[in-house]
């Protein structure tokens, strides 16, 4: 049971709503970092269940024990469906986990745009398990500005755009808006694809709203279902969108063939073609009408 001396981090359920009707708590067994940047509050602590935990604006972003699920599922479905992405853009993702997974596809260029320079600084220092040196790769360029503005400067340049922001509050809110989705569409090449971290399936308006906005912009949009044990908000939704190929028509045999060509020596702990296909099975209650 909780004792007076112990320090706890408490997060309200369905992050982004923070209605405080249901609180989840993590024992802070070792406080690693606590600070505030121009954009967000930051907290990093150790917990013997989840390992090192990274929190922005009172919402868990990742934990050492399960960040691989999030980063593998955000990156590999779209990049394997694309079959040979060379120019990749990541908006957000300042912890470096998404970047680490993108580099496994041997791109020519990856641009990472995170509004908050301080996230990269503390991630490099206290979360080495996310980037695993990815920021040192010569093909990577890091910029610090609002991804909403950056997006407008490129036309038909990227093969892949990945939106790895936070929940739809604070600086991340702009990354869930319809005009931003059009800017992504324009910045992608003719056969370009995009991947989006969306949120908990408990947040029906967010899921339905994001899907219908993306469907207005992209001809093909698919949802992926995953569970992040450290998120305490039930099944989690990512989406992928394509300008040209039908993402729903990527068959398991085709995916297995590409995966065999991609896989040698790549340490993946969650994603494989069967998980790709299984993650597309959405329970009736969560399906978008
Ligand atoms: N990879 C993380 C995970 O595993 O959950 C996802 C969250 S990542 C830490 C979210 C990042 O998005 C933060 O570093 C934040 O600074 C950045 N961000 C939020 N809004 C942004 C914006 N409008 N433009 C660029 N970066 C933004």
């Amino acid at each position: 049971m909780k004792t007076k001396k112990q320090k706890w981090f408490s997060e309200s359920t369905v992050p982004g709503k923070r209605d405080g009707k249901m609180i989840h708590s993590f024992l802070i067994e070792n406080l690693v970092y606590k600070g505030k940047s121009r954009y967000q509050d930051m907290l990093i602590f150790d917990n013997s269940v989840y390992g090192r935990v990274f929190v922005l604006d009172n919402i868990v972003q990742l934990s050492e024990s399960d960040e691989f699920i999030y980063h593998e599922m955000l990156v590999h479905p779209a990049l394997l469906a694309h079959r040979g992405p060379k120019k990749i853009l990541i908006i957000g993702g300042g912890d470096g986990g998404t970047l680490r997974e993108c580099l496994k596809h041997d791109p020519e260029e990856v641009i990472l745009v995170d509004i908050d320079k301080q996230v990269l600084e503390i991630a490099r220092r206290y979360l080495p398990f996310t980037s695993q040196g990815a920021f040192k790769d010569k093909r990577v360029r890091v910029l610090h500005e609002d991804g909403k503005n950056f997006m407008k400067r490129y036309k038909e340049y990227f093969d892949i755009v990945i939106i790895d922001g936070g929940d739809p509050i604070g600086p991340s809110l702009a990354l869930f808006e319809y005009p931003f989705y059009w800017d992504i569409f324009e910045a992608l090449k003719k056969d370009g694809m995009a991947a989006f971290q969306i949120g908990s399936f408990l947040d029906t308006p967010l899921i339905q709203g994001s899907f219908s906005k993306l469907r207005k912009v992209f001809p093909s949009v698919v949802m992926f279902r995953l569970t992040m044990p450290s998120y305490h908000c039930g099944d989690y939704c990512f989406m992928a969108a394509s300008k040209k190929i039908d993402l729903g028509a990527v068959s398991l045999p085709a995916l297995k063939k590409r995966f065999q060509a991609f896989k040698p020596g790549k340490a993946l702990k969650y994603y494989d073609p069967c998980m790709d296909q299984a993650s597309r099975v959405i329970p009736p209650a969560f399906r978008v009408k």
Side-chain angles (χ1 to χ4, degrees):
M1 278 319 285
K2 288 188 176 182
T3 66
K4 284 236 177 326
K5 278 199 309 314
Q6 287 174 332
K7 288 211 71 44
W8 291 79
F9 161 70
S10 292
E11 175 189 66
S12 44
T13 187
V14 192
K17 300 279 174 225
R18 291 191 292 178
D19 53 9
K21 293 187 187 66
M22 176 67 179
I23 294 280
H24 293 283
S25 300
F26 299 67
L27 179 61
I28 297 178
E29 294 174 70
N30 168 37
L31 179 62
V32 176
Y33 177 84
K34 186 169 167 49
K36 191 175 175 48
S37 75
R38 200 176 130 202
Y39 299 98
Q40 40 212 345
D41 293 333
M42 306 170 169
L43 174 67
I44 299 177
F45 61 87
D46 292 332
N47 169 283
S48 45
V49 175
Y50 290 104
R52 187 149 289 185
V53 181
F54 175 37
V55 176
L56 287 177
D57 279 348
N58 202 40
I59 295 175
V60 171
Q61 301 298 303
L62 62 89
S63 85
E64 190 171 4
S65 64
D66 60 11
E67 59 82 22
F68 68 94
I69 301 173
Y70 178 106
H71 293 120
E72 289 185 22
M73 278 310 292
L74 186 61
V75 169
H76 300 304
L79 274 68
L80 279 170
H82 183 280
R83 306 196 337 177
K86 292 298 167 218
K87 294 187 186 304
I88 301 174
L89 170 65
I90 302 168
I91 301 286
D95 53 272
T98 297
L99 176 61
R100 172 194 81 216
E101 293 304 313
C102 284
L103 289 174
K104 290 178 181 173
H105 290 262
D106 199 18
E108 284 162 9
E109 175 187 18
V110 186
I111 300 178
L112 184 140
V113 180
D114 196 302
I115 200 167
D116 197 338
K117 187 178 169 71
Q118 217 165 314
V119 170
L120 280 83
E121 283 159 7
I122 63 168
R124 278 197 187 95
R125 202 168 330 141
Y126 303 116
L127 307 169
F129 53 85
T130 46
S131 58
Q132 294 176 19
F135 287 117
K136 292 194 196 98
D137 191 298
K138 299 252 171 304
R139 296 166 291 178
V140 176
R141 196 151 51 99
V142 174
L143 300 171
H144 296 297
E145 64 175 282
D146 190 330
K148 183 184 70 171
N149 304 330
F150 175 88
M151 209 71 250
K152 297 179 186 309
R153 297 208 297 271
Y154 283 79
K155 299 287 174 228
E156 293 203 13
Y157 183 82
F158 295 105
D159 296 301
I160 296 280
V161 173
I162 299 179
I163 307 304
D164 182 16
D167 292 86
I169 52 163
S172 290
L173 186 59
L175 309 182
F176 288 82
E177 293 178 348
Y178 182 67
F180 179 62
Y181 289 157
W182 269 113
D183 292 339
I184 295 172
F185 185 90
E186 311 256 300
L188 283 167
K189 288 180 190 166
K190 289 191 176 39
D191 61 350
M193 293 182 192
F196 304 82
Q197 99 69 27
I198 301 289
S200 164
F201 274 106
L202 289 180
D203 191 347
T204 317
L206 173 67
I207 304 298
Q208 304 235 353
S210 301
F211 189 82
S212 57
K213 280 183 249 178
L214 282 170
R215 279 295 284 125
K216 283 198 190 103
V217 176
F218 288 90
S220 170
V221 181
V222 290
M223 291 206 273
F224 292 90
R225 182 166 57 96
L226 57 144
T227 303
M228 288 291 295
S230 61
Y231 279 10
H232 294 112
C233 61
D235 280 350
Y236 210 75
C237 179
F238 286 170
M239 293 185 194
S242 164
K243 282 181 82 163
K244 188 173 168 201
I245 78 147
D246 173 2
L247 287 169
V250 180
S251 74
L252 184 55
L255 213 44
K256 281 186 172 171
K257 211 158 139 247
R258 285 181 214 164
F259 191 66
Q260 280 320 316
F262 160 76
K263 188 165 162 313
K266 307 272 178 17
L268 298 189
K269 299 195 291 187
Y270 187 87
Y271 177 89
D272 73 4
C274 295
M275 277 311 294
D276 179 303
Q277 304 288 296
S279 306
R280 295 168 186 240
V281 178
I282 308 297
F286 295 157
R287 281 180 206 149
V288 186
K289 300 198 183 26

